[in-house]
Amino acid sequence: MNKKALLAAAIAATLVSAPSFASYISTANLTSGNISVTGYNDSDSNIYQVVMKDFVGNITVQVPPPGNYTTTASGSAVLDPSPNPNIPDIVLDSSGVGLFAGLINFFGVTDPDRSVTFVNAGAGLGTMVGSLDGIDFDVDYDGNTSSTVLNFINALLSQFPGTTPVANTNGSGHLHIDGTLYEDGAVLAITETAASWPGIYGMLQQIDAIQVPVIVNNQPVIVNGKPVYVPVFGDTNEVDLNIVRADVTIKAVPEPASLALLGLGLMGLAAARRRRAA
């Protein structure tokens, strides 16, 4: 077999066999927990904090090598917007929804295949216990959020006054993430540099702008003939969600260009082995 035929065969074999070995799967199976995001509306809006606490369940993460990926999510989850009692639970249920397509590059990750079981050790709600280890890594991305996610966000925003539709989810950026992992959650500090789009912190600002009517005795409060509205999360600088349950799988599948590069790499390894054997 000549070199060109060998190259074509290697790439074709990689593309055909990709579904069996090239997917990177992360899962979250949680029966309770709370996620709070703050800091995205202050003077340093690109630096924000994420606190995950009172987690019970398991999270497994597979970090893919640098490349272009199509990322999808499947499963179900029930989230309770806290602390507003007027908002019904957010119910998510899907057999497979596209999330993101484009370049993803993690670096600084010391354990790319990690499983953590969270246990609420009885220290009380909101009390982080049992420091496990530090978290410190970076992510570069360049691509676009799927139209399905964009339509879902805008459908949600359209129900409330004072919100602006998300128009552009196509762009690039860099995330630096550091913090501490605990037995019942994690505390993270995220620094984001976004290019050509509002960034994750920009989307958080839009979500934070959602307002809902004040309900008393199952009736909206009316002042001067108009309903009274309050921020859905009760604070203009915090998104707060209680996890009622979550059984979610996120899959990152390499796009054809990355698979072709993988095929070239495999062919190079095979050639190197033949040279050593000779």
Side-chain angles (χ1 to χ4, degrees), residues 14 24 53 57 77 99-100 103 132 136 175 180 195 269:
T14 303
Y24 298 87
K53 60 189 178 184
L99 297 178
F100 176 86
L103 173 69
L132 298 178
D136 190 355
L175 298 170
T180 304
L269 288 175

Side-chain angles (χ1 to χ4, degrees), residues 52-55 118-119 128-129 132 135 180-187:
M52 299 178 289
K53 60 189 178 184
D54 304 326
F55 275 28
F118 295 99
V119 178
M128 310 299 292
V129 297
L132 298 178
I135 300 170
T180 304
L181 182 67
Y182 294 89
E183 290 181 2
D184 58 350
V187 176

Side-chain angles (χ1 to χ4, degrees), residues 222-236:
I222 305 297
V223 176
N224 296 327
K226 297 181 179 180
V228 177
Y229 287 87
V230 295
V232 64
F233 292 106
D235 191 309
T236 57

Side-chain angles (χ1 to χ4, degrees), residues 22 26 46 52 54-55 59 75-76 127 156 179 220-221 225 227 245 251 265 277:
S26 299
N46 65 316
M52 299 178 289
D54 304 326
F55 275 28
I59 293 179
S76 62
T127 302
L156 182 64
V221 174
R245 63 173 176 82
K251 181 183 294 185

